Amino acid sequence: MSDRDRRPSEPAGLDGLPPLYSIAKGEVVSVQTYGAFVRLPGYRKEGLVHVSEMSASRVENASEIVDVGEHVWIKVIGREIQGDKVKLSFSMKAVNQGTGRDLDPNNVMAEQDSRRRKQFRDQTSNRITLEAVLNTTCSKCGCKGHFTKDCFSAPGLQYALLPEEDDEEPQQQPSTAAQHQDSDKKKKKKEKKAKKKSKKRERKESESDSSSSSSSECKSKRRRQEHERDRDDKKKKKHKKHKSHKHS
């Protein structure tokens, strides 16, 4: 039996298309950022070579690899019917572009890629947004924000999320305590500064007192000395007068 006889029967919509995992040479008729469309001789339907199927290395843009009108070797890795449309998926990296030799004869890479595409489609079709989860009400505990299968509450007990105001109150308490500590520190610093200033004033006053007392003492001494000199001068004058009277 041939490979075609072993394969399961395919829908009628796929008739007239190139067989799965077949290799052929086609012409590039359109180049997009996400891939290139290739037309095979003898077929009306065009197939897409995605950028991930162009090379074993990463490709950012299909124009880096192919141009319109270029002939390339491809391998048919997917034939799908989506609604009224039939989609063909081709691969260039599974075929040697120089000789046309099949580089994936056991179709291992092709099957892996098809499974990856199916998983991606399943995940995108069943999206669950964060808002939907937050608005979900658990039938076990009656709270919002989680599913019943993820509920951890025991029967008879209910848990609810605390409001944001309660979360902010304990944060304000340490802030007030910190403010009290800062005010106490400032008061202590002010008291220390006042003590230092008072000590400086006392020193200045004591120095001024000592200087004033010493200056007063000096003045009194000078006065005494002057007074004594005046007395001596007067005595000398009297003595001279007395002598002059005697001689006369």
Side-chain angles (χ1 to χ4, degrees), residues 151-184:
C151 184
F152 57 87
S153 64
L157 297 175
Q158 292 186 354
Y159 297 90
L161 296 174
L162 294 174
E164 295 181 356
E165 294 178 357
D166 295 339
D167 294 338
E168 292 177 357
E169 287 180 357
Q171 293 178 359
Q172 292 177 357
Q173 292 178 356
S175 64
T176 54
Q179 289 178 358
H180 287 303
Q181 290 179 356
D182 294 337
S183 61
D184 293 337

Side-chain angles (χ1 to χ4, degrees), residues 24-32 35-41 46-49 54 62-63 65-74 90 92 97:
K25 195 169 188 177
E27 181 183 359
V28 179
V29 295
S30 177
V31 178
Q32 306 295 331
F37 289 93
V38 179
R39 181 182 297 163
L40 300 180
E46 301 169 358
L48 173 65
V49 181
M54 286 187 171
S63 60
I65 305 297
V66 295
D67 293 324
V68 176
E70 186 177 354
H71 289 78
V72 294
W73 287 98
I74 60 92
F90 297 160
M92 288 174 56
Q97 294 300 312

